[in-house]
Amino acid sequence: LRRSVSDAKVMVGLQTISLANQRLTSLFGLGVQPGLRALFLQGNFLAHLDHFEVQPQLRELHLQGNKLGSMRGMPPQPHLERLWVADNPLTSHPDFKAVCLMAVGSALIRIDDAGVEPHTREQALHLGPVAAAAVREGWLPDADTPWEDAGLLFLVEELQEITSREKAADAEAFRYAPQHRSASVTPGRASPANVTPG
């Protein structure tokens, strides 16, 4: 069963949206939320982050307890400081923190309950912008296999083509799915402590 943001009961605050525990499989319908500072997506069935847009004021993102094996679909988030990814397959990768940093961007200071270590920043910086683009398309670095920028650029192009086709099919499926309905929006207070899963 496919379930997107458009199908979920959304709890909204002035700066907070909670879509926790909504059985989501897609972020289709989330769009850009200009004032959003905290987004709760934990406890869903997200295997990728396709349809996630740049959220210009986002500071806190909760993705724990999903099915994420990579950071596929995550565009750079200019102000994201705190990211929770525990209980996802991605966290079994030895360099998952560098992967998160490459996908999200340099504003990130905490992953789960730990600060981003200087060696993790150095690792992400060393891999460079081409690797960061590949990470956003679902690539994970392999310490045992050296890579060259030219080969990685080709990989990025291939991954972008595949992701583009899958995103289009995903959007088409949700657009015409019989279970599709409008999101139920409930106003709330801006504090994450006052936002409850719908």
Side-chain angles (χ1 to χ4, degrees), residues 70-78 80 83 90 93-109 111 116 119-143 147 149 152:
S70 72
M71 291 300 283
R72 178 181 132 187
M74 172 60 77
Q77 300 296 322
L80 186 64
L83 175 68
L90 170 64
H93 189 280
D95 298 317
F96 83 91
K97 289 184 178 182
V99 167
C100 291
L101 187 60
M102 287 190 298
V104 169
S106 61
L108 192 62
I109 57 174
I111 298 173
V116 175
H119 73 274
T120 302
R121 286 192 186 283
E122 290 169 15
Q123 182 182 22
L125 185 61
H126 172 73
L127 288 170
V130 176
V135 161
R136 289 185 205 105
E137 295 297 331
W139 177 75
L140 294 173
D142 181 357
W147 54 270
D149 279 350
L152 204 52

Side-chain angles (χ1 to χ4, degrees), residues 152-170:
L152 204 52
L153 280 171
F154 179 73
L155 176 64
V156 169
E157 289 172 4
E158 278 187 13
L159 290 170
Q160 285 173 336
E161 187 177 313
I162 292 166
T163 301
S164 178
R165 284 194 306 263
E166 288 178 359
K167 281 174 71 173
D170 193 31

Side-chain angles (χ1 to χ4, degrees):
L1 176 68
R2 290 180 159 198
R3 192 164 158 88
S4 75
V5 172
S6 299
D7 298 317
K9 181 178 178 187
V10 181
M11 299 300 288
V12 179
L14 298 174
Q15 301 174 342
T16 302
I17 295 177
S18 178
L19 290 161
N21 304 306
Q22 295 286 323
R23 299 184 313 262
L24 298 179
T25 59
S26 173
L27 295 175
F28 179 76
L30 180 62
V32 176
Q33 306 297 322
L36 182 64
R37 294 178 65 92
L39 179 57
F40 295 83
L41 293 168
Q42 69 269 26
N44 284 295
F45 299 104
L46 298 171
H48 55 75
L49 299 167
D50 292 351
H51 306 291
F52 196 81
E53 304 287 338
V54 173
Q55 304 297 334
Q57 298 302 317
L58 187 64
R59 302 285 195 276
E60 183 178 325
L61 178 59
H62 295 260
L63 294 169
Q64 64 270 34
N66 277 285
K67 307 282 184 210
L68 298 172
S70 72
M71 291 300 283
R72 178 181 132 187
M74 172 60 77
Q77 300 296 322
H79 299 289
L80 186 64
E81 297 173 345
R82 290 174 168 73
L83 175 68
W84 282 266
V85 291
D87 301 322
N88 278 289
L90 170 64
T91 60
S92 66
H93 189 280
D95 298 317
F96 83 91
K97 289 184 178 182
V99 167
C100 291
L101 187 60
M102 287 190 298
V104 169
S106 61
L108 192 62
I109 57 174
R110 295 191 75 74
I111 298 173
D112 295 320
D113 290 323
V116 175
E117 298 288 333
H119 73 274
T120 302
R121 286 192 186 283
E122 290 169 15
Q123 182 182 22
L125 185 61
H126 172 73
L127 288 170
V130 176
V135 161
R136 289 185 205 105
E137 295 297 331
W139 177 75
L140 294 173
D142 181 357
D144 298 330
T145 307
W147 54 270
E148 299 173 10
D149 279 350
L152 204 52
L153 280 171
F154 179 73
L155 176 64
V156 169
E157 289 172 4
E158 278 187 13
L159 290 170
Q160 285 173 336
E161 187 177 313
I162 292 166
T163 301
S164 178
R165 284 194 306 263
E166 288 178 359
K167 281 174 71 173
D170 193 31
E172 191 71 13
F174 284 113
R175 196 168 287 124
Y176 297 106
Q179 76 271 13
H180 180 76
R181 63 188 190 291
S182 297
S184 168
V185 179
T186 306
R189 298 192 60 187
S191 168
N194 295 321
V195 177
T196 55

